[in-house]
Amino acid sequence: MPRRLHQGGLASYEPETLACFLAALEHTRPGDVLDVGANIGLYAALAAARSRRRVYAFEPAPRIADTAQAIVRDNGLGVEVVRLALSNHSGTAALRISPVVDTANTLTPESRPQLGRVLVRVETLSHWRERAGAAPSIVKIDTEGTEPDVVAGAFEVLRRFRPWIFCEVRPEHGVEERLMALLEPFGYCWYHLSGEPPYPLRALIVGRGSAPGQRMWLFAPEPVPERVWHTAREWYRALGRPAPRL
């Protein structure tokens, strides 16, 4: 992630999601921002820089969490880095470290090559929220295949706070079907963040066929108002195109 941001700026990393995330900071009700699977904390940093909300960045990989903490400290940002993996249970789990990219570390037991494993603490979002006294309004989830587990551990949060959720949907492990089954009882609407806003309301959550950079979705507790899409479109155009690589 740092290399991509250095080469192409914000426009080179999920510009559709960044634009909608920045719009959500302006239009959603007051509340806290949770960056789950934060990596170096890009979304958390933007939330802290662009709002007065309390911001939490969840990153279980020790070295990456150290980098996120250094970015927060060096830039004077109001972000609390939480060294914790969120899932549908509490305890410990093995985080598989990718030898290819730092954004591919995962808790999923799969056969992809791995650099090693790190034992990390795991907790449900609902239990963590109760301990922290947080009131989530915006939640970003990018956990490389365990997004449904994060949602399953957040039922009390969905029921009580109804946050906007920005979520990666990978075309594997039955992620699409599980997310729909988990979110439908709460009346959530879903939008695929691909191309320039606005985005149509979708009947199904589908990850298959999406390019790696086009896998982010918005799960909203009600239909998204036009004013939000207008702001998202302005942010999308302001981000511009990725700078050419040198």
Side-chain angles (χ1 to χ4, degrees):
M1 183 189 290
R3 184 182 301 113
R4 186 184 299 182
L5 291 170
H6 176 72
Q7 292 175 336
L10 290 176
S12 67
Y13 189 81
E14 300 176 352
E16 297 92 344
T17 311
L18 289 176
C20 292
F21 179 82
L22 289 165
L25 290 173
E26 297 183 32
H27 291 287
T28 57
R29 62 165 179 77
D32 304 331
V33 178
L34 279 54
D35 186 355
V36 181
N39 197 271
I40 63 170
L42 172 61
Y43 284 86
L46 288 173
R50 294 293 308 178
S51 74
R52 295 184 178 181
R53 300 169 184 263
R54 289 190 299 179
V55 182
Y56 302 89
F58 294 82
E59 178 49 57
R63 292 181 63 181
I64 300 177
D66 288 343
T67 301
Q69 188 67 65
I71 291 172
V72 168
R73 181 186 64 246
D74 294 347
N75 291 278
L77 296 172
V79 176
E80 180 177 338
V81 177
V82 184
R83 298 167 184 260
L84 181 69
L86 294 180
S87 188
N88 57 1
H89 66 282
S90 298
T92 59
L95 180 70
R96 290 159 175 78
I97 306 301
S98 169
V100 182
V101 291
D102 58 6
T103 55
N105 301 334
T106 182
L107 293 177
T108 59
E110 51 188 27
S111 59
R112 285 188 297 182
Q114 53 187 267
L115 193 60
R117 301 181 183 184
V118 177
L119 195 65
V120 298
R121 292 192 304 123
V122 179
E123 193 169 359
T124 68
L125 177 52
S126 293
H127 287 167
W128 172 86
R129 187 220 67 79
E130 187 175 3
R131 287 195 302 102
S137 177
I138 302 172
V139 181
K140 185 229 87 180
I141 308 173
D142 185 351
T143 55
E144 291 298 303
T146 65
E147 291 82 5
D149 294 337
V150 177
V151 173
F155 278 0
E156 184 266 344
V157 171
L158 299 183
R159 185 180 303 108
R160 180 175 175 184
F161 298 97
R162 299 188 61 76
W164 286 40
I165 302 171
F166 293 89
C167 183
E168 184 183 50
V169 178
R170 297 175 63 84
E172 53 195 50
H173 305 301
V175 167
E176 305 106 312
E177 293 80 5
R178 291 183 62 199
L179 285 170
M180 285 189 288
L182 291 165
L183 292 167
E184 278 181 335
F186 296 96
Y188 268 74
C189 307
W190 31 77
Y191 303 85
H192 184 203
L193 306 183
S194 177
E196 183 172 332
Y199 307 111
L201 179 65
R202 300 285 183 144
L204 300 173
I205 299 173
V206 180
R208 299 174 187 83
S210 299
Q214 302 288 329
R215 291 176 176 166
M216 294 297 287
W217 286 66
L218 167 60
F219 305 143
E222 64 275 320
V224 176
E226 177 54 38
R227 66 181 183 277
V228 177
W229 294 134
H230 176 75
T231 303
R233 184 164 55 246
E234 290 184 332
W235 274 115
Y236 182 79
R237 292 174 179 176
L239 288 172
R241 296 183 177 182
R245 295 188 179 184
L246 301 178

